């Protein structure tokens, strides 16, 4: 039995990070402040970082190391979630924080960066290993990779060199390929880490544990038992201060092209032979390539674009998207997107997968509802004493990604008392109460993995391209619309009527999460 042999049990080996420097481009930006530095601090708190460790922040603003440390301290105190801030740990962590002003457009900046890296490596004993994180505008990815490459900083002669890039990977299929070419000019594929933070979420990782660590669900996990699947990723916030990016992106690009297609792939992929980067990613990629690509004339029937209009939510007046500060009053941005997808393989043929996402929805919730088939013959739908007795309702398994992380299974139960009245009840698993430990943030998991050289939870170029193949015809058809349907839902609601109609065409309704 492999489980009895300590040498074959991977859980018994603690994964150790080699000494390294994390270089954050865009260090004064939002992501660095809100997510990256707090995640690294939290890893320090967990004692997961190696003794030889440093962070080198890079951006255009001139700052001293001390200014940078002070700014990062403020951010960590503000954005650290569910963790205490420890002053003495911070002081130790801050000694490894450095800053270098630099401009990605300027070759000389990379030469300076190289010198600074040597100095930091000597001071902190980081042995030449460097993880570059591009937390910049996407238009800077190509130039940054080229700048690093030309300055010799991608070469792995003094230690490993890895590059993390954030989504969006291209604005469309064409630009995604162009980006790929420019990244590959100086970096090999195994040096590239394309982050999709949804894959780092504990609850998304748990989908694989649930499916492949339990023999009772997998036999049901197919078209013979599953009627359809609904994936919802709703946000109650509006576009906030990201109008510049979001106005051109829209919900389909921002959430479905990457996060939600990846979630769908996690729910539907075949088990890999081993839990290892290439094997797992091959299965994900295969699944993404199996999604039916809608022809232009099928797009409108199977997808819905929405944009929120003004409304009053709980007595507060909320502006519509077109009235948001700096928004184009005629913007065609989709702040809501829904789509029906099919996976064309033996396991999933004809099972609809409904995906919806939007800003300014009634609440923040991400979940996956797996609706099983109805009973083949109902015993319980007769009348008794003139009273309608409820028939068995279909089983629904809900994988709750956030914010109340857990899993629940709805099934029918006999209501106590005379007669045979059925009522739906639910069996619930909650992360919080079951494990009683804090769930690591996605960025902690993903940064740790990149430092360890484990790309299992990172997306790969073939997956990025497969997702674009699915999304591009939808974007093109939406863009070619002559009419202006927006706004078509009130802020604070579950999206346009057309989204309900899309499901009704196949006899289904959205579940209220
Ligand atoms: C980002 C999108 O990738 O994911 C945002 O650009 C969105 O628009 C965010 O708000 C949602 O992430 P999470 O982890 O809060 O669900």
């Amino acid at each position: 039995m492999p489980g009895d042999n300590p040498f074959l049990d991977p859980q018994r080996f603690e994964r150790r990070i080699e000494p390294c420097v994390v270089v954050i481009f865009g260090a004064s930006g939002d992501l660095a402040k809100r997510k990256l530095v707090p995640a690294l601090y939290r890893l320090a708190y967990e004692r997961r970082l190696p003794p030889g460790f440093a962070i080198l922040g890079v951006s255009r603003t001139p700052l001293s190391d001390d200014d940078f440390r002070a700014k990062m301290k403020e951010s960590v105190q503000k954005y650290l979630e569910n963790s205490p801030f420890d002053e003495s740990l911070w002081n130790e962590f801050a000694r490894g924080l450095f800053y270098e002003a630099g401009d990605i457009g300027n070759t000389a900046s990379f030469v300076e960066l190289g010198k600074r890296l040597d100095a930091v490596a000597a001071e902190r004993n980081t042995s030449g290993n460097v993880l570059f994180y591009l937390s910049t505008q996407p238009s800077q990815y190509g130039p940054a990779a080229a700048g690093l490459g030309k300055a010799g900083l991608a070469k792995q002669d003094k230690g490993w060199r890895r590059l993390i890039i954030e989504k969006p990977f291209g604005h469309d299929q064409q630009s995604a390929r162009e980006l790929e070419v420019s990244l590959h000019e100086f970096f090999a594929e195994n040096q590239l880490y394309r982050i999709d933070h949804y894959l780092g979420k504990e609850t998304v990782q748990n989908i694989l544990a649930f499916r492949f660590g339990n023999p009772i669900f997998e036999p049901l996990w197919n078209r013979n038992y599953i009627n359809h699947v609904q994936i919802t990723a709703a946000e109650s916030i509006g576009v906030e201060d990201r109008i510049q990016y979001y106005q051109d992106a829209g919900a389909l690009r921002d959430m479905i092209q990457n996060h939600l297609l990846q979630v769908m792939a996690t729910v539907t992929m075949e088990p890999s032979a081993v839990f290892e980067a290439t094997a797992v990613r091959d299965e994900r990629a295969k699944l993404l390539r199996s999604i039916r690509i809608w022809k232009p004339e099928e797009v409108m029937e199977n997808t819905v674009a929405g944009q929120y209009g003004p409304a009053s939510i709980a007595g507060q007046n909320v502006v519509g998207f077109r009235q948001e500060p700096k928004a184009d009053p005629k913007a065609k941005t989709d702040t809501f997107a829904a789509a029906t997808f099919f996976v064309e393989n033996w396991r999933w043929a004809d099972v609809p997968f409904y995906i919806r996402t939007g800003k300014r929805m009634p609440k923040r919730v991400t979940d996956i509802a797996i609706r099983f088939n109805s009973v083949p013959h109902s015993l319980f739908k007769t009348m008794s004493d003139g009273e309608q007795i409820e028939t068995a309702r279909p089983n629904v398994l809900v994988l709750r990604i956030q914010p109340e992380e857990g899993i629940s299974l709805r099934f029918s139960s006999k209501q106590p008392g005379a007669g045979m009245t059925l009522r739906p009840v639910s069996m619930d698993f909650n992360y919080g109460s079951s494990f009683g430990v804090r769930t690591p943030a996605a960025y902690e998991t993903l940064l740790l993995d990149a430092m360890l050289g484990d790309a299992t939870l990172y997306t790969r170029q073939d997956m990025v391209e497969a997702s674009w193949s699915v999304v591009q015809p939808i974007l093109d058809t939406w863009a070619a619309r002559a009419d202006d349907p927006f706004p078509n839902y009130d802020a604070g609601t579950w999206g346009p009527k057309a989204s309900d109609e899309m499901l009704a065409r196949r006899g289904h309704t959205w579940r209220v999460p």
Side-chain angles (χ1 to χ4, degrees):
M1 291 274 292
D4 295 335
N5 182 341
F7 298 105
L8 292 180
D9 185 352
Q11 299 301 327
R12 303 205 183 180
F13 294 103
E14 212 197 317
R15 303 188 302 168
R16 292 227 165 269
I17 302 177
E18 291 169 335
C20 60
V21 184
V22 176
V23 176
I24 304 177
F25 287 92
S28 50
D30 234 34
L31 185 74
K33 282 195 285 207
R34 283 174 188 256
K35 302 279 183 193
L36 304 181
V37 179
L40 289 164
Y41 169 81
R42 180 67 211 188
L43 290 173
Y45 182 86
E46 301 268 349
R47 303 275 161 207
R48 302 299 299 264
L49 297 179
F53 179 78
I55 299 173
L56 177 55
V58 180
S59 70
R60 275 188 302 200
T61 328
L63 288 179
S64 68
D65 288 343
D66 282 338
D67 293 339
F68 182 59
R69 288 169 184 154
K71 276 183 183 296
M72 291 303 117
K73 181 176 182 183
E74 219 176 276
S75 312
V76 169
Q77 284 174 318
K78 187 161 169 199
Y79 297 113
L80 197 61
E81 286 167 14
N82 316 321
S83 308
F85 180 81
D86 178 331
E87 191 77 34
S88 71
L89 174 72
W90 173 262
N91 293 336
E92 192 189 315
F93 180 79
R95 277 196 288 279
L97 279 181
F98 303 91
Y99 184 85
E100 176 78 19
D103 180 355
I104 289 176
N106 180 354
T107 320
S109 290
F110 289 93
V111 177
E112 288 309 309
L113 175 64
K115 291 187 200 151
R116 190 72 200 276
L117 264 174
D118 288 341
V120 169
E123 184 177 334
R124 303 285 300 176
N125 288 320
T126 55
S127 11
N129 297 324
V130 184
L131 176 64
F132 297 105
Y133 198 121
L134 298 184
S135 163
T136 62
Q137 291 294 329
S139 58
Q140 304 284 295
Y141 295 167
L148 290 169
K150 287 182 189 151
L153 299 177
K155 276 204 250 120
Q156 308 205 75
D157 46 358
K158 288 192 251 162
W160 50 254
R161 298 290 157 114
R162 299 177 188 142
L163 180 68
I164 300 190
I165 56 169
E166 269 284 336
K167 64 156 261 270
F169 311 116
H171 185 69
D172 52 22
Q173 203 162 25
Q174 176 65 22
S175 54
R177 288 199 188 118
E178 287 163 10
L179 170 65
E180 184 59 10
V181 171
S182 53
L183 293 175
H184 271 155
E185 199 178 334
F186 295 100
F187 288 87
E189 180 60 26
N190 65 7
Q191 290 177 278
L192 293 173
Y193 288 73
R194 298 176 192 79
I195 215 163
D196 184 312
H197 79 279
Y198 266 57
L199 291 179
K201 288 183 190 277
E202 284 287 316
T203 41
V204 173
Q205 294 181 65
N206 192 43
I207 298 171
L208 295 184
F210 180 81
R211 289 188 56 201
F212 304 136
N214 297 289
I216 66 168
F217 302 106
E218 206 44 31
L220 310 179
W221 216 258
N222 57 54
R223 65 190 304 277
N224 299 329
Y225 296 93
I226 293 179
N227 179 276
H228 73 271
V229 176
Q230 301 186 5
I231 302 178
T232 299
E235 292 182 277
S236 51
I237 54 169
V239 66
E240 302 210 293
D241 51 3
R242 295 169 73 224
I243 190 88
Q244 219 191 345
Y245 152 78
Y246 196 85
Q247 185 159 280
D248 283 340
L252 180 64
R253 271 196 191 88
D254 185 48
M255 291 291 291
I256 297 185
Q257 190 275 337
N258 34 69
H259 306 322
L260 300 182
L261 286 178
Q262 288 286 358
V263 168
M264 177 174 155
T266 311
V267 172
T268 49
M269 66 191 253
E270 295 302 314
S272 55
V274 283
F275 195 69
E276 173 274 332
T278 305
V280 172
R281 299 197 295 173
D282 284 350
E283 292 302 336
R284 272 189 209 287
K286 202 165 84 189
L287 190 288
L288 290 167
R289 282 196 300 270
S290 316
I291 299 176
R292 184 184 304 167
I293 295 173
W294 293 122
K295 298 194 185 82
E297 63 274 20
E298 296 168 327
V299 165
M300 287 313 198
E301 287 271 294
N302 291 293
T303 66
V304 177
Q307 187 189 83
Y308 60 84
S312 159
I313 305 176
Q316 296 270 325
N317 285 337
V318 170
V319 294
F321 179 76
R322 288 176 174 175
Q323 293 81 49
E324 294 280 4
K326 302 203 186 132
D328 172 354
K330 293 200 172 119
K332 290 200 166 173
T333 313
D334 49 305
T335 59
F336 172 94
T340 304
F341 292 120
F342 288 94
V343 177
E344 302 199 306
N345 65 17
W346 276 52
R347 190 194 277 262
W348 295 115
D350 302 328
V351 177
F353 289 83
Y354 301 115
I355 297 188
R356 65 177 162 172
T357 183
K359 302 274 184 201
R360 283 267 184 253
M361 312 250 87
K363 61 175 178 176
R364 173 174 183 256
V365 61
T366 300
D367 68 18
I368 303 154
I370 294 152
R371 215 285 238 148
F372 289 87
N373 286 336
S374 303
V375 291
H377 167 71
S378 179
L379 272 67
F380 306 118
K381 60 182 175 198
T382 46
M383 304 284 280
S384 150
D385 299 338
E387 198 193 335
Q388 174 69 51
I389 293 178
E390 193 163 337
T391 182
R393 295 244 229 117
N395 296 117
V396 181
L397 179 75
V398 181
L399 307 173
R400 287 182 272 113
I401 304 299
Q402 60 191 25
E404 281 156 25
E405 291 105 346
I407 296 177
S408 43
L409 177 66
R410 184 182 78 182
F411 60 97
S412 295
S413 174
K414 181 185 174 302
Q415 184 167 286
M420 195 43 127
T421 305
L422 300 192
R423 287 281 178 262
V425 291
S426 125
M427 226 155 41
D428 284 317
F429 151 69
N430 287 304
Y431 267 85
S433 53
S434 293
F435 292 111
V437 290
R438 169 190 169 274
T439 310
Y443 279 98
E444 287 167 43
T445 308
L446 292 168
L447 281 163
L448 188 74
D449 280 0
M451 289 186 271
L452 287 161
D454 180 352
T456 312
L457 299 177
Y458 282 83
T459 177
R460 212 170 51 185
Q461 181 63 17
D462 54 348
M463 298 188 221
V464 172
E465 288 194 18
S467 305
W468 276 120
S469 304
V470 171
V471 161
Q472 193 66 52
I474 306 175
L475 288 170
D476 292 344
T477 311
W478 287 0
R481 278 181 87 150
D483 60 339
D484 174 8
F486 295 150
N488 57 357
Y489 71 98
D490 286 346
T493 68
W494 286 106
K497 222 166 82 224
S499 154
D500 297 324
E501 291 163 0
M502 181 179 83
L503 267 67
R505 261 175 237 130
R506 295 193 166 85
H508 299 140
T509 46
W510 286 112
R511 184 183 140 267
V512 179

